[in-house]
Amino acid sequence: MGAILEARNITKDFPGVRALDGVSFCLEENQIHALCGENGAGKSTFINVLSGYFPSWSYTGEILVAGRQKSFSAITEAEAAGIAVIHQELNLFPELSTAENIFMGHEIARGGILDWNEMYSQTGDWIRRLKLDSVEPTTKVKNLGIGKQQLIEIARVLRLPHMKILILDEPTASLTESETELLLDILRQLKRDGIACIYISHKIEEVMTIADRVTVLRDGKTAGGGSIRELSKKDIVRLMVGRELTDYYPKDPHADRQECVLEVKDFSVTDHSTGKPIVKGAGFRLYRGEILGLFGLVGAGRTELASSLFGSPPGRTGGEIRIKGQKIRFDSPRAALRQGLAYVTEDRKGQGIIPTMNVRENASIAFLDRFKTFLGIDQNREVVEVQSSVRSFQIKTPSLNTRIINLSGGNQQKVLLARNLLKDIDILILDEPTRGIDVGAKQEIYAIMNSLVAKGVSIIMVSSELPEVLGMCDRILVMCRGEITGEFDNSAKDVTQERIMICATGTGSED
């Protein structure tokens, strides 16, 4: 098969940083080509070059589409050449209907009047093609789940007949397992229909399942790649991080559970608006120097339980919380921080980082009182302590004054950890701490967790990745429909993924 898209010797510089250094890439017709690499490897910059976001005068190298050299000065020019990008942050209008979103900017009109019948008819064709069960052309996008919204975005760009190249950036980061399977099946069908795809993902298992070929970027350069038949999972990881990762989950031996630091009894959370229970009768203990896993499927109530413990409940709460034996009721996150309990949200971009602020400001804002003086903020002391955290957490940033939005996802996550650990704490709740970051950054997060536990910090780790929970946690709590349906001691040899999933799906019970 011939090459439908080629990038030759692409080099892109930012002030003080070479983001891409002679990157070459070839996408063939009817092919799914995976692009892998750690956060900060250059994947997003490369995609922005291919999509016209970075105009041709801002980099060196060549782009060829179907053998013809192209110079894009805007995204619209790349789209006119048949290149479409589906970003992690979807570009949809939630208050508009499915049909309005699919035809936005390319409406069908007859005699100057919108032809809704034709647009609804074509939308129905896409709904059937993309297996969007229970979706109507008039359904508002805000009423659809993330997985279906993503398919609407795919329909929006592929509706145009000249679209032949689809680029997906971390398409399954927020999808459930069933939504992921559906998306992969649809990508296989699109390949059969003549659509070539560049598939960007940190999930190596998915890459091994869906891709025909893999290219790996590392530090802005092409590190290697090849046919998926010639590469193993370990080969891809080694190319990504430049070293062998012999142990994906470097779990250290932890505490012997002598001292209870947190006890939760009959804890409940009720939705303010609907009155429906979100968390029902939760009870557990957390011991000093252990990692307690909290696992469950989407909608199980894990995040609602975790955020409520931190003083940020999504509804009315009931029950009892004790820290070191003392009954506590937090009325705000600040009150929880004062008592030595910190929380790192699962929504890094929406509720975690403050994108308009720099690294120093993001890292210090939770404990800004530490730097107060009679005259204001002691910035010298603030810089010293934040710089120490940057070194301790190995945060890769040009300077403390760099806007946090310009860091990779893994480094943003480490800044959030540094923010909550600028002052000594006793309990740390990590909600999906490794979501959307690469395998190398994951290992760094795991190492940080182990070092904290060694110092006596107790961690509650909320995760949707069962291998991660089994690999890192001392005990595992399982939630289903708002209830804790199982508890497992991870030192027991009979703990299996199957037993945990029985509790997570509500198809059985474990004592």
Side-chain angles (χ1 to χ4, degrees):
M1 291 182 290
I4 191 170
L5 175 67
E6 287 185 84
R8 297 176 179 173
N9 198 32
I10 302 294
T11 299
K12 169 68 177 172
D13 292 317
F14 294 104
V17 178
R18 172 153 288 185
L20 297 174
D21 190 359
V23 172
S24 294
F25 181 90
C26 179
L27 174 67
E28 295 183 354
E29 297 174 352
N30 302 91
Q31 181 187 69
I32 297 178
H33 193 143
L35 184 64
C36 298
E38 292 190 275
N39 289 106
K43 304 187 300 298
S44 295
T45 303
F46 183 60
I47 294 309
N48 285 334
V49 166
L50 295 181
S51 68
Y53 181 82
F54 293 139
S56 56
W57 53 262
S58 69
Y59 60 87
T60 61
E62 295 180 324
I63 295 176
L64 292 86
V65 178
R68 296 184 179 182
Q69 187 170 343
K70 299 288 183 179
S71 296
F72 304 134
S73 59
I75 292 174
T76 52
E77 294 183 8
E79 290 180 344
I83 301 173
V85 181
I86 308 295
H87 294 282
Q88 275 185 275
E89 291 78 26
L90 299 180
N91 187 28
L92 296 174
F93 298 88
E95 292 293 337
L96 298 184
S97 70
T98 298
E100 287 169 322
N101 271 278
I102 289 177
F103 284 89
M104 178 62 67
H106 300 279
E107 294 83 358
I108 298 174
R110 302 281 188 270
I113 299 175
L114 293 178
D115 189 342
W116 287 107
N117 288 334
E118 181 61 25
M119 286 190 284
Y120 284 156
S121 176
Q122 291 191 26
T123 299
D125 292 339
W126 278 104
I127 286 172
R128 287 185 290 275
R129 183 179 178 183
L130 298 180
K131 303 175 184 177
L132 286 162
D133 300 332
S134 74
V135 177
E136 298 291 337
T138 55
T139 302
K140 284 190 176 183
V141 163
K142 71 175 184 180
N143 296 325
L144 302 177
I146 292 296
K148 290 181 178 179
Q149 289 186 24
Q150 195 161 54
L151 295 178
I152 296 298
E153 181 97 340
I154 290 174
R156 185 184 67 80
V157 298
L158 292 185
R159 187 192 65 79
L160 302 175
H162 60 274
M163 287 298 178
K164 294 295 181 182
I165 301 165
L166 182 63
I167 302 173
L168 296 107
D169 188 3
E170 296 289 346
T172 65
S174 301
L175 301 190
T176 64
E177 188 174 337
S178 60
E179 289 172 334
T180 297
E181 285 300 319
L182 175 60
L183 177 64
L184 298 185
D185 285 342
I186 288 170
L187 292 181
R188 295 184 185 101
Q189 182 59 52
L190 291 175
K191 183 176 80 167
R192 291 191 287 270
D193 293 342
I195 303 296
C197 177
I198 300 176
Y199 190 89
I200 303 169
S201 179
H202 291 127
K203 299 179 180 179
I204 309 302
E205 295 83 359
E206 282 181 12
V207 169
M208 301 297 291
T209 299
I210 192 66
D212 302 303
R213 191 171 182 85
V214 180
T215 293
V216 178
L217 298 184
R218 186 173 73 241
D219 299 328
K221 299 179 181 180
T222 307
S227 169
I228 199 68
R229 294 188 297 271
E230 300 168 355
L231 296 170
S232 68
K233 180 180 175 180
K234 287 186 177 180
D235 292 332
I236 296 173
V237 171
R238 186 177 65 253
L239 288 171
M240 287 174 62
V241 301
R243 63 187 186 278
E244 293 280 358
L245 291 182
T246 55
D247 187 358
Y248 286 101
Y249 304 105
K251 182 177 179 295
D252 293 339
H254 296 151
D256 55 5
R257 302 173 202 161
Q258 294 296 314
E259 181 184 351
C260 177
V261 295
L262 172 68
E263 185 174 12
V264 177
K265 293 181 178 180
D266 196 27
F267 192 78
S268 63
V269 182
T270 305
D271 187 276
H272 275 308
S273 57
T274 65
K276 292 182 179 180
I278 305 172
V279 178
K280 297 176 280 188
F284 63 89
R285 289 185 172 189
L286 175 69
Y287 296 92
R288 178 171 296 282
E290 77 163 345
I291 299 178
L292 176 65
L294 190 57
F295 177 79
L297 304 179
V298 174
R302 300 164 305 158
T303 293
E304 291 80 0
L305 173 57
S307 62
S308 297
L309 295 177
F310 184 59
S312 181
R316 188 176 67 255
T317 63
E320 187 175 298
I321 302 172
R322 290 182 179 272
I323 292 182
K324 298 178 183 177
Q326 181 182 355
K327 192 173 180 179
I328 297 290
R329 175 70 66 178
F330 299 130
D331 56 6
S332 69
R334 185 174 295 276
L337 282 171
R338 289 196 201 100
Q339 292 292 328
L341 191 155
Y343 173 71
V344 178
T345 176
E346 65 171 342
D347 187 1
R348 181 170 63 239
K349 291 187 176 180
Q351 300 179 13
I353 65 170
I354 305 172
T356 56
M357 290 186 175
N358 60 32
V359 172
R360 171 181 58 81
E361 293 164 332
N362 267 276
S364 65
I365 193 166
F367 294 109
L368 209 54
D369 289 349
R370 288 170 59 87
F371 311 112
K372 278 186 178 180
T373 67
F374 181 74
L375 299 176
I377 300 297
D378 185 347
Q379 288 197 354
N380 289 333
R381 184 185 171 198
E382 180 189 15
V383 167
V384 168
E385 293 203 21
V386 172
Q387 187 64 61
S388 175
S389 293
V390 166
R391 287 193 297 268
S392 177
F393 289 100
Q394 299 180 31
I395 299 169
K396 296 177 183 177
T397 177
S399 77
L400 297 185
N401 294 321
T402 300
R403 287 181 62 191
I404 193 169
I405 197 66
N406 294 327
L407 301 189
S408 68
N411 285 299
Q412 290 177 9
Q413 189 73 351
K414 287 191 281 186
V415 171
L416 292 183
L417 278 170
R419 171 195 295 175
N420 286 282
L421 297 169
L422 206 58
K423 176 183 174 182
D424 289 339
I425 62 166
D426 298 311
I427 301 167
L428 177 62
I429 302 175
L430 299 174
D431 197 349
E432 301 286 3
T434 64
R435 174 177 288 171
I437 64 177
D438 58 76
V439 289
K442 283 184 178 183
Q443 281 228 322
E444 292 173 354
I445 297 294
Y446 299 148
I448 291 170
M449 291 170 62
N450 280 330
S451 67
L452 291 172
V453 167
K455 296 175 183 177
V457 175
S458 304
I459 295 176
I460 298 175
M461 181 185 190
V462 181
S463 177
S464 299
E465 296 187 26
L466 193 45
E468 179 176 73
V469 171
L470 286 167
M472 289 300 299
C473 299
D474 301 291
R475 288 185 299 130
I476 302 166
L477 299 177
V478 185
M479 292 190 70
C480 177
R481 293 188 286 273
E483 298 183 272
I484 294 177
T485 53
E487 179 176 343
F488 297 86
D489 186 332
N490 207 9
S491 62
K493 295 181 179 180
D494 60 345
V495 177
T496 63
Q497 295 192 33
E498 290 76 13
R499 290 184 65 197
I500 292 175
M501 286 303 296
I502 285 173
C503 295
T505 56
T507 55
S509 63
E510 292 280 345
D511 295 328

